[in-house]
């Protein structure tokens, strides 16, 4: 039997005498099977400790790439910066590449630069286009793992998705909004930042399914391509309100909520129920002020932690079959933000 460890260390770990360990290591006669098993187990534990000690000194640098409004990217950055110092067994640092709106070519340029420079992993929130999915696949082929955040890409272009189940989030919003809106017929304005974000599309599908099944007196009016940016979103909402006098509630799946509220106020239109997404600073203030009714959200720190754990598993610092749990869909009311 061979081992990299001194006999005295094995003896200490196994709780046996040095002489007994010497007999086991040199495969001499007269050693019981249970004693041999204790030595084997001690060596295995020392190996584990040795590997962990080596990993503890390893540093992983990841890239977080997000096409998203600043209010959400700030919340994500805060979540990663809170989680990264406590990650084990390796230490992490992150480079952030964010913008309120990016063209597809700008996103592709960032991802190509990461592929050339190298990275231990990419956390990606981006539109689900064929070109972006293809380049994510190229990163994977270059042994740079990709984890999608809150909105997904095809499975072959990433190692995992972190975030909540967007269809469940949309369904939950429809259930609550429908119950609050009452029995009077009307229309619900559903706002997406862009139809290219798979996560928002899933939210809308879940919302529509529940509304049609449980609240058929409420119809959906959909707007998109405001990208969560205030001015573009406000113009889209103004146009929808002019065309649809029966709109009396909002499901904001894509943000820009101050702009949506401004459009309603300028048109002198009432919004009986306003359902929003994400507990960013804007939504916390709007919720506390009673300007939006409830917010569907999830734990971004859980997402950051899960993304890092997927990277660790990819780099063989966690078991290869390591599984992450999805973020739970949560609901915030004005009472939770009052203080």
């Amino acid at each position: 039997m061979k081992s990299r460890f001194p006999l005295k260390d094995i003896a200490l770990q196994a709780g046996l005498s040095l002489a007994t360990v010497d007999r086991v290591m040199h495969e001499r006669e007269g050693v019981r099977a249970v004693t041999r098993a204790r030595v084997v187990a001690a060596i295995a534990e020392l190996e584990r400790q040795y590997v962990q000690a080596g990993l503890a000194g390893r540093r992983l640098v990841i890239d977080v790439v997000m096409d998203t409004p600043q209010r959400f990217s700030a919340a994500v950055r805060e979540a990663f910066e809170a989680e990264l110092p406590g990650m084990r067994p390796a230490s992490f640092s992150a480079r952030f590449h964010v913008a309120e709106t990016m063209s597809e070519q700008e996103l592709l340029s960032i991802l190509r630069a990461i592929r050339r420079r190298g990275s231990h992993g990419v956390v990606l929130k981006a539109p689900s286009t064929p070109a972006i999915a293809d380049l994510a696949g190229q990163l994977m082929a270059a042994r740079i793992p990709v984890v999608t955040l809150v909105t997904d890409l095809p499975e072959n272009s990433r190692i995992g998705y972190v975030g909540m189940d967007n269809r469940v989030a949309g369904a939950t919003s429809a259930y609550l909004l429908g119950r609050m809106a009452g029995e009077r017929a009307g229309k619900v304005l559903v706002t997406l930042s862009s139809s290219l974000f798979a996560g928002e599309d899933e939210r809308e599908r879940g919302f529509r399914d529940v509304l049609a099944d449980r609240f058929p007196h409420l119809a959906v009016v959909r707007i998109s391509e405001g990208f969560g940016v205030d001015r573009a979103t406000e113009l889209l909402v103004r146009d929808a309100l002019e065309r649809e006098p029966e709109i009396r509630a909002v499901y904001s799946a894509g943000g820009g909520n101050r702009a949506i509220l401004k459009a309603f106020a300028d048109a002198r239109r009432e919004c009986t129920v306003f359902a929003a997404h994400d507990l960013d600073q804007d939504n916390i203030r709007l919720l506390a002020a009673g300007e939006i009714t409830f917010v569907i959200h999830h734990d971004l720190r859980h997402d950051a932690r899960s993304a890092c754990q997927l990277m660790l598993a990819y780099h063989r610092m966690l078991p290869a079959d390591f599984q992450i749990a999805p973020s739970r869909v949560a609901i915030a009311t004005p009472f939770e933000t009052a203080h």
Side-chain angles (χ1 to χ4, degrees):
M1 187 182 297
K2 294 181 179 180
S3 171
R4 73 173 85 202
F5 306 104
L7 293 184
K8 64 178 181 179
D9 290 351
I10 299 171
L12 181 62
Q13 183 67 40
L16 298 169
S17 70
L18 190 61
T20 299
V21 171
D22 183 75
R23 287 201 301 274
V24 172
M25 297 301 294
H26 290 91
E27 300 182 348
R28 297 194 178 98
E29 295 181 359
V31 177
R32 293 185 301 168
V34 67
T35 302
R36 184 178 298 277
R38 285 177 64 178
V39 172
V40 170
I43 293 172
E45 175 60 21
L46 289 170
E47 287 286 357
R48 188 192 70 80
Q49 294 173 13
Y50 177 85
V51 170
Q52 292 286 64
L55 293 178
R58 187 170 178 188
R59 179 168 172 261
L60 299 185
V61 181
I62 62 173
D63 291 270
V64 181
V65 182
M66 292 183 288
D67 176 3
T68 193
Q70 188 274 335
R71 56 184 170 268
F72 184 71
S73 66
V76 172
R77 181 191 290 264
E78 182 179 334
F80 270 91
E81 290 177 348
E83 286 296 316
L84 292 184
M87 291 304 303
R88 296 293 183 271
S91 63
F92 277 82
S93 61
R95 298 178 289 228
F96 290 87
H97 315 264
V98 301
E100 292 226 324
T101 57
M102 292 190 203
S103 69
E104 183 179 66
Q105 286 306 313
E106 287 171 328
L107 270 167
L108 294 174
S109 178
I110 290 169
L111 296 176
R112 289 191 188 104
I114 291 170
R115 185 184 60 187
R116 289 193 301 270
R117 183 186 62 225
S119 175
H120 292 109
V122 172
V123 179
L124 181 62
K125 179 188 180 297
S128 181
T129 69
I132 290 172
D134 179 67
L135 192 43
Q138 293 179 38
L139 288 168
M140 295 278 289
R143 300 196 58 76
I144 299 174
V146 175
V147 174
T148 51
L149 172 69
V150 305
T151 186
D152 209 359
L153 294 175
E155 289 188 8
N156 62 357
S157 58
R158 48 56 163 185
I159 61 171
Y161 163 81
V162 297
M164 61 185 167
D165 184 319
N166 283 300
R167 190 180 286 260
V168 171
T172 302
S173 296
Y175 176 76
L176 294 173
L177 183 148
R179 293 290 296 268
M180 294 175 178
E183 297 181 359
R184 180 165 60 93
K187 295 183 178 180
V188 181
L189 181 65
V190 175
T191 68
L192 309 184
S193 68
S194 173
S195 59
L196 295 176
F197 286 104
E200 291 183 20
D201 185 59
E202 287 292 302
R203 291 175 186 178
E204 184 193 9
R205 288 170 185 263
F207 186 86
R208 282 181 179 272
D209 288 348
V210 171
L211 215 65
D213 181 51
R214 292 175 177 259
F215 311 101
H217 61 287
L218 296 174
V220 169
V221 176
R222 176 185 187 271
I223 62 171
S224 183
E225 310 315 306
F227 302 102
V229 176
D230 284 353
R231 183 57 181 163
T233 301
E234 182 182 343
L235 292 174
L236 289 169
V237 176
R238 285 178 181 274
D239 181 62
L241 292 175
E242 288 177 6
R243 289 184 288 104
E244 303 285 353
E246 296 179 345
I247 291 174
R248 62 185 187 88
V250 170
Y251 172 44
S252 172
N257 298 327
R258 287 191 179 278
I260 296 170
L261 289 165
K262 184 176 185 301
F264 268 81
D266 290 349
R268 299 178 185 270
R269 294 280 291 275
E270 181 186 14
C271 181
T272 56
V273 185
F274 194 125
H277 268 271
D278 303 320
L279 272 183
D280 56 49
Q281 290 302 311
D282 269 7
N283 281 345
I284 289 172
R285 286 190 284 267
L286 292 172
L287 191 60
E291 295 188 66
I292 56 181
T293 313
F294 64 89
V295 173
I296 298 293
H297 69 103
H298 61 288
D299 187 351
L300 289 174
R301 288 188 60 168
H302 179 279
D303 294 347
R305 186 163 58 251
S306 294
C308 292
Q309 288 169 333
L310 285 171
M311 303 292 187
L312 289 170
Y314 179 88
H315 291 291
R316 300 182 180 180
M317 296 183 221
L318 288 176
D321 58 353
F322 180 83
Q323 298 291 317
I324 62 167
S327 297
R328 294 185 61 186
V329 175
I331 303 155
T333 69
F335 303 100
E336 296 176 70
T337 59
H339 305 288

